Amino acid sequence: MTERAPAKVRARAEIDLAALRANVRALREHAPGAAFMAVVKADAYGHGMIPCARAAREAGATWIGTATPEEALAVRAAGIGGRVMCWLWTPGGPWREAIEADLDMSVSGMWALDEVTAAAREAGRPARIQLKADTGLGRNGCLPADWPELVAAAVAAEREGLVTVTGLWSHFACADEPGHPSIAAQLTCFREMVSFAEEHGVRPEVRHIANSPGTLTLPETHFDLVRPGIAMYGISPSPEIGTPEDFGLRPVMRLSASLALVKHAPGGLGVSYGHHYVTPGATTLGLVPLGYADGIPRHASGTGPVLIGGKRRTVAGRVAMDQFVVDLGGDEPVAGDEAVLFGPGDRGEPTAEDWAQAAGTIAYEIVTRIGARVPRVYVDDADNADDTDGADDVDDGGAARE
Ligand SMILES: *Cc1c(COP(=O)(O)O)cnc(C)c1O
C-alpha cells in the first residue's frame, strides 16, 4: 500500500479510514462499558484487512476478530499487537503457530480441545482459548447438552497448565429482527451456560455475544465485550432497524469505475448477453468495466443503480463477467467519466444497501464480494479525522489480502 493511485484506473474501491475510525468511536459510545473487538474477517468485509485493523486499533479497538486462523496469523504477521481472536477452526489447523502468535482461539467441541492441548504441550506454553456456546444459533459452538463435558475437560486442561480459558462466548441468530423471541431465549441460555462454567471453575476474562445489531440496539447483550463487524464499515445490519445515519455511522467503501465507452445506439438494439434489454429508441449507451468477476452481482442485471453525470441510471441487461451497460438516455458523458456504483449516499450516489435490494441480498454480501481485481485505495480525509496520517495509498491486492 505504498504506490500512488494512478490518475485513472479502470475501477477502484475507495476506503475511507477516517470514516472507519469515526464508526468505531460511535459504536464504542453505544457500548461504553464493554471492550471492543473489531471484526475484520473476509478481508475486512472486502475493505482490506490490515489497513482496517490498524485504523480500528487507532480508534480504540483493543481486540481484533477474524474467522480463520490464517486471517488472524496474517494480522500478527503485519505487526499488529494486542489481542487477536479467531473462531473458525478445522481439524489439523495451525494451533501451534496460533499459540506462538499469542492468539485467542475459539473452541467449540472436544476435537478442538484435544488438538489445542496437544499443540500446547509441544509448544511448551499454554494456549489462550475461549469456549463457544451454541445458545440457539444452531451453527458453530457447543450445545447445552455437551457443555458439561467440554467445560470439565477445559478446566482439567487449565489445571495441567495447557490452556487458559480467557472467554466464554456465543453468537446471535436474529439480533437484527427487533423483538424476535430467540433473542431473549439465547440470552437466558447464555447466562445459564456462563454460570455453569463459572461454577465449575472457569474464570473468563471476557463474556461476549453482541454482533453489530446487538451492539447498536440491545444494551443487555453487551456483557464485557462487543464484536461489531458490518456497522464498523458504516452499513446498517438491516434496514429494518435503522439507517447508518440513525446510528451515527458512515459507509466506508465507495466503488467507482471509469466509463470504457460511450456510444450512440439505434432503437431496437439488443444489449448484452441474452438481449434482456432492447433500446426503446435511439439513445446513448455507457459501458461500465466491472462485472461479476469483480463481485458485481449478476442478480442485479436490469436493476443495479449507478450514478453517472449526476443522474441515476440502471444496469441495462445482463451483468457480464467483466462489464455491464447502462442506457444513458441520450446524455453524452465521455469515456473516462466516472460511474459511481455505491458510496456513502450523500452525493446522489446509490449505497451498498441499494445494491443489496436490487440484487435480492444483504449489504454485507455486496461489499464483501468486491473482488481482488478491484484496487482498494485508502483515503484518509483529514477533515473527518483527528489522527490521520494523511495517506492516499493504493493496495492493488497484494499486502493486505491473504
Ligand atoms: C461475523 C461475525 C461477527 C460480526 O457480525 P456483524 O453482524 O457483521 O456485526 C461477530 N461474531 C462472529 C462470531 C462473527 O462470525
Side-chain angles (χ1 to χ4, degrees):
M1 41 179 288
T2 48
E3 264 168 72
R4 296 300 295 182
K8 288 259 185 206
V9 289
R10 173 184 69 103
R12 57 197 244 157
E14 282 176 29
I15 308 299
D16 182 350
L17 293 176
L20 187 140
R21 284 193 297 264
N23 292 338
V24 170
R25 291 194 197 96
L27 284 158
R28 287 177 63 209
E29 278 168 28
H30 284 280
F36 190 96
M37 181 186 290
V39 179
V40 299
K41 63 188 178 185
D43 204 23
Y45 295 41
H47 294 66
M49 182 169 72
I50 301 302
C52 291
R54 287 208 176 99
R57 268 275 193 273
E58 286 159 11
T62 49
W63 291 73
I64 299 291
T66 72
T68 70
E70 289 77 13
E71 292 170 323
L73 289 168
V75 168
R76 273 288 189 259
I80 295 175
R83 301 296 284 272
V84 178
M85 176 174 173
C86 56
W87 48 76
L88 190 56
W89 286 87
T90 45
W95 298 102
R96 172 109 189 238
E97 293 90 323
I99 293 167
E100 283 164 357
D102 243 340
L103 305 182
D104 284 69
M105 295 159 265
S106 179
V107 165
S108 284
M110 288 301 294
W111 76 260
L113 190 65
D114 290 344
E115 290 203 0
V116 76
T117 51
R121 228 178 235 114
E122 276 175 34
R125 56 188 274 195
R128 280 209 285 253
I129 65 166
Q130 300 209 8
L131 302 181
K132 183 166 195 189
D134 184 349
T135 55
L137 173 58
R139 198 178 68 178
N140 210 346
C142 180
L143 283 164
D146 302 319
W147 190 242
E149 183 192 16
L150 184 64
V151 167
V155 168
E158 191 163 54
R159 293 207 174 112
E160 263 192 84
L162 295 171
V163 302
T164 309
V165 182
T166 58
L168 297 170
W169 74 297
S170 190
H171 195 40
F172 279 117
C174 311
D176 56 348
E177 294 179 47
H180 195 287
S182 69
I183 297 169
Q186 281 198 254
L187 267 181
T188 300
C189 183
F190 186 54
R191 289 201 180 93
E192 286 168 5
M193 291 174 84
V194 166
S195 296
F196 179 92
E198 291 179 344
E199 280 157 19
H200 288 79
V202 175
R203 295 286 169 270
E205 188 184 327
V206 285
R207 295 155 297 179
H208 50 108
I209 190 170
N211 53 2
S212 291
T215 304
L216 291 168
T217 65
L218 303 164
E220 68 278 23
T221 67
H222 292 172
F223 293 92
D224 304 309
L225 179 152
V226 294
R227 298 191 312 270
I230 196 70
M232 207 173 52
Y233 306 104
I235 292 172
S236 171
S238 154
E240 220 190 309
I241 68 167
T243 65
E245 308 83 76
D246 292 340
F247 299 118
L249 303 171
R250 179 174 173 81
V252 170
M253 185 187 290
R254 178 180 187 274
L255 180 66
S256 63
S258 290
L259 286 176
L261 185 69
V262 177
K263 63 188 178 190
H264 289 273
L269 184 73
V271 172
S272 193
Y273 294 128
H275 285 179
H276 291 279
Y277 183 79
V278 177
T279 54
T283 188
T284 47
L285 298 175
L287 182 63
V288 179
L290 281 169
Y292 60 78
D294 302 296
I296 308 308
R298 191 167 173 277
H299 278 99
S301 295
T303 60
V306 186
L307 183 73
I308 298 171
K311 290 186 192 159
R312 287 276 192 115
R313 303 294 185 183
T314 303
V315 174
R318 282 214 180 125
V319 173
M321 184 181 290
D322 313 300
Q323 42 196 312
F324 64 82
V325 174
V326 289
D327 187 331
L328 297 167
D331 283 2
E332 297 180 339
V334 296
D337 278 3
E338 188 182 53
V340 185
L341 282 77
F342 59 82
D346 54 2
R347 290 184 187 162
E349 76 279 15
T351 61
E353 182 59 44
D354 293 331
W355 273 83
Q357 283 170 23
T361 183
I362 55 176
Y364 290 72
E365 190 179 356
I366 297 298
V367 289
T368 304
R369 282 167 52 116
I370 297 307
R373 200 165 66 172
V374 178
R376 272 52 171 182
V377 178
Y378 294 93
V379 297
D380 210 333
D381 180 355
D383 296 340
N384 298 332
D386 54 32
D387 53 355
T388 179
D389 61 7
D392 263 32
D393 294 332
V394 64
D395 168 12
D396 65 0
R401 318 182 68 81
E402 52 134 296

